[in-house]
Amino acid sequence: MDVLITIKEKITVEEALAFIQTPTCGGEVIFAGTVRNHTHKRAVTHLFYECYEPMALSEMRKIADQVKEKWAIEKLVMLHAIGALYPGDIAVVIAVASAHRGIAFDACEYVIDTLKETVPIWKKEFFADEQPV
Amino acid sequence: MDVLITIKEKITVEEALAFIQTPTCGGEVIFAGTVRNHTHKRAVTHLFYECYEPMALSEMRKIADQVKEKWAIEKLVMLHAIGALYPGDIAVVIAVASAHRGIAFDACEYVIDTLKETVPIWKKEFFADEQPV
Amino acid sequence: MGILLFGVVKETAGCAVLDCPAYIKDVATLKRWLYEQYPSLQQLSSLMIAVNRSYASDDQEFTDRDEIAVIPPVSGG
Amino acid sequence: MGILLFGVVKETAGCAVLDCPAYIKDVATLKRWLYEQYPSLQQLSSLMIAVNRSYASDDQEFTDRDEIAVIPPVSGG
């Protein structure tokens, strides 16, 4: 399984696609998490993502190892953005390529669910109805 | 729910992404089906996709209606390529945007599974070890 | 009346539109006639008939004003 | 020794690296001390300690050569 794990300021779906596309695979499943313009009906102006980078990368590698053990996945990409993000910006991209689409869906959902539970990244929300700090 | 359904010679993941990205949505799930360079270990040179287009579009609209009834999906894209496709080319793209990622995965997988069962599109495979027609 | 053929059915018949006898007025009779004309179609895992671009059941009737198509197992995606 | 703080813990303490007393040599003692220093941390749904970039159980011991971090509930993705 080829793995690409990246934490950086700006991420794109295209770079994930470029990594996973291969003529040997039939199915690619991609999850993109974007910044919403509201949380519980409160308008969000922007987010700030903070990260304990060496541990975050290590936890992401652990997830990749779990995927490799559980499913016959050929390629896996995990990208996470950090810093200031605005509504519509992409915060996270998970991309999986496999010869079988069913396990590609399962693996992709597993990765994003687990990432949200274990990877030390924190989101701070800034609201429109808040005093600027 | 906004829906984009297209059958044409060349499709891209980018056009699907462009349609579904919105600041109100948190999660986008995309399935891309690409042409493999082998089937049951036989090398594939290319495929030819044939389509009963008016009925295919109608069956795709039926799937969109089912998605709308089952899940709170905001945007749905179904793209299918026709004509000659080569290994690595994209044959189908399904893209779903929803505020909740769990149902985005469910809906995306439902759409591709159902499309493969009901939409009148046929794939003819051409093999490397075959006489040219 | 002309019925539309696709995929392996089109290849078997060697044409994209097949002329079928006027006495055929329902799906079951059409399928029986197709199997007689092209016995190899019986090897397909399914053979559906679409009437006006919708899958039709065996008892559905049609006239020569309807659009009839023969749908072998689909393989899109 | 200096321990790394993130997210709401960093905001609560007002600093990114916190100096903790030398007598603290295991995770449980560190957590108890943090809760004493910053009682509001008890309202968090979880408070994990990482030793050398891995989540540590309460009974894990450490020395001042280890990298210690306080991990409030994560919210990436």
Side-chain angles (χ1 to χ4, degrees):
Chain A
M1 188 175 80
D2 296 334
V3 179
L4 173 65
I5 291 175
T6 307
I7 296 175
K8 59 178 179 175
E9 293 230 335
K10 187 163 169 49
I11 61 173
T12 64
V13 173
E14 285 75 14
E15 67 196 292
L17 259 182
F19 186 85
I20 62 167
Q21 277 179 348
T22 148
T24 65
C25 269
E28 287 129 29
V29 175
I30 301 148
F31 174 80
T34 50
V35 176
R36 284 198 267 176
N37 61 8
H38 64 278
T39 303
H40 305 302
K41 315 234 165 177
R42 263 180 103 184
V44 170
T45 58
H46 67 288
L47 302 182
F48 193 89
Y49 279 95
E50 176 194 2
C51 163
Y52 178 17
E53 186 164 322
M55 183 172 168
L57 291 170
S58 158
E59 288 294 324
M60 288 160 92
R61 281 191 293 268
K62 284 181 192 170
I63 297 172
D65 290 344
Q66 290 157 18
V67 166
K68 195 176 170 181
E69 235 171 71
K70 281 172 185 270
W71 294 287
I73 299 298
E74 291 197 33
K75 307 230 177 205
L76 169 62
V77 177
M78 306 168 73
L79 310 177
H80 205 297
I82 46 165
L85 273 86
Y86 294 82
D89 284 354
I90 296 178
V92 63
V93 177
I94 311 298
V96 170
S98 165
H100 306 283
R101 72 180 184 282
I103 62 172
F105 277 104
D106 290 348
C108 189
E109 191 166 12
Y110 176 82
V111 170
I112 181 62
D113 287 352
T114 310
L115 181 148
K116 281 173 173 269
E117 280 172 12
T118 65
V119 176
I121 296 176
W122 298 270
K123 162 172 79 183
K124 190 171 161 61
E125 290 167 317
F126 294 85
F127 297 99
D129 57 10
E130 219 170 29
Q131 303 288 25
V133 184
Chain B
M1 188 176 78
D2 296 332
V3 179
L4 172 65
I5 291 174
T6 306
I7 296 175
K8 60 179 179 175
E9 292 230 335
K10 187 166 168 50
I11 61 173
T12 64
V13 174
E14 286 73 14
E15 65 194 295
L17 259 182
F19 185 86
I20 62 167
Q21 276 180 349
T22 149
T24 65
C25 269
E28 287 130 29
V29 175
I30 300 148
F31 173 81
T34 51
V35 176
R36 283 198 267 176
N37 61 8
H38 63 279
T39 303
H40 304 301
K41 315 234 163 175
R42 261 179 104 184
V44 170
T45 59
H46 67 289
L47 302 182
F48 192 89
Y49 278 95
E50 175 194 2
C51 163
Y52 178 17
E53 186 165 321
M55 182 172 168
L57 292 170
S58 158
E59 288 294 324
M60 288 160 92
R61 281 191 293 268
K62 284 181 192 168
I63 298 173
D65 290 343
Q66 290 156 18
V67 166
K68 196 177 170 180
E69 235 172 68
K70 281 171 184 271
W71 294 287
I73 298 299
E74 291 196 33
K75 308 230 178 205
L76 170 61
V77 177
M78 306 167 74
L79 310 177
H80 205 297
I82 45 164
L85 274 87
Y86 294 81
D89 285 353
I90 296 178
V92 63
V93 176
I94 311 297
V96 171
S98 164
H100 306 284
R101 72 181 183 281
I103 62 171
F105 277 105
D106 291 346
C108 190
E109 191 166 12
Y110 176 82
V111 170
I112 182 62
D113 287 352
T114 310
L115 180 148
K116 281 173 171 271
E117 280 173 13
T118 66
V119 176
I121 296 176
W122 297 270
K123 163 170 78 182
K124 189 172 162 58
E125 290 166 319
F126 294 86
F127 297 99
D129 57 10
E130 219 169 28
Q131 301 288 25
V133 184
Chain C
M1 64 185 294
I3 60 173
L4 307 173
L5 306 187
F6 296 95
V8 65
V9 180
K10 183 169 74 175
E11 285 173 31
T12 302
C15 58
V17 183
L18 186 67
D19 213 46
C20 89
Y23 75 84
I24 297 174
K25 290 185 163 29
D26 65 78
V27 167
T29 310
L30 173 59
K31 284 169 87 168
R32 211 156 39 230
W33 179 78
L34 284 165
Y35 285 135
E36 281 165 18
Q37 299 289 307
Y38 307 104
S40 67
L41 298 184
Q42 293 173 45
Q43 291 160 28
L44 296 176
S45 59
S46 76
L47 192 70
M48 300 293 286
I49 303 298
V51 175
N52 297 327
R53 305 166 182 183
S54 280
Y55 290 106
S57 58
D58 271 5
D59 57 2
Q60 190 164 333
E61 300 185 350
F62 50 79
T63 74
D64 56 8
R65 289 187 305 277
D66 294 313
E67 182 175 306
I68 310 299
V70 184
I71 313 286
V74 302
S75 52
Chain D
M1 64 185 295
I3 59 173
L4 306 173
L5 306 187
F6 297 95
V8 65
V9 179
K10 184 170 74 175
E11 285 173 30
T12 301
C15 58
V17 184
L18 186 66
D19 212 48
C20 89
Y23 75 84
I24 295 174
K25 291 185 163 29
D26 65 79
V27 167
T29 310
L30 173 59
K31 284 169 86 167
R32 211 156 40 230
W33 179 78
L34 284 166
Y35 285 135
E36 282 166 16
Q37 299 290 307
Y38 308 104
S40 68
L41 297 184
Q42 292 173 48
Q43 291 159 29
L44 296 176
S45 59
S46 76
L47 192 70
M48 301 292 286
I49 304 298
V51 175
N52 298 327
R53 305 166 182 184
S54 280
Y55 291 105
S57 58
D58 272 6
D59 57 2
Q60 188 163 337
E61 300 185 350
F62 50 79
T63 74
D64 57 7
R65 287 186 307 277
D66 293 313
E67 181 175 307
I68 309 298
V70 184
I71 313 286
V74 301
S75 53

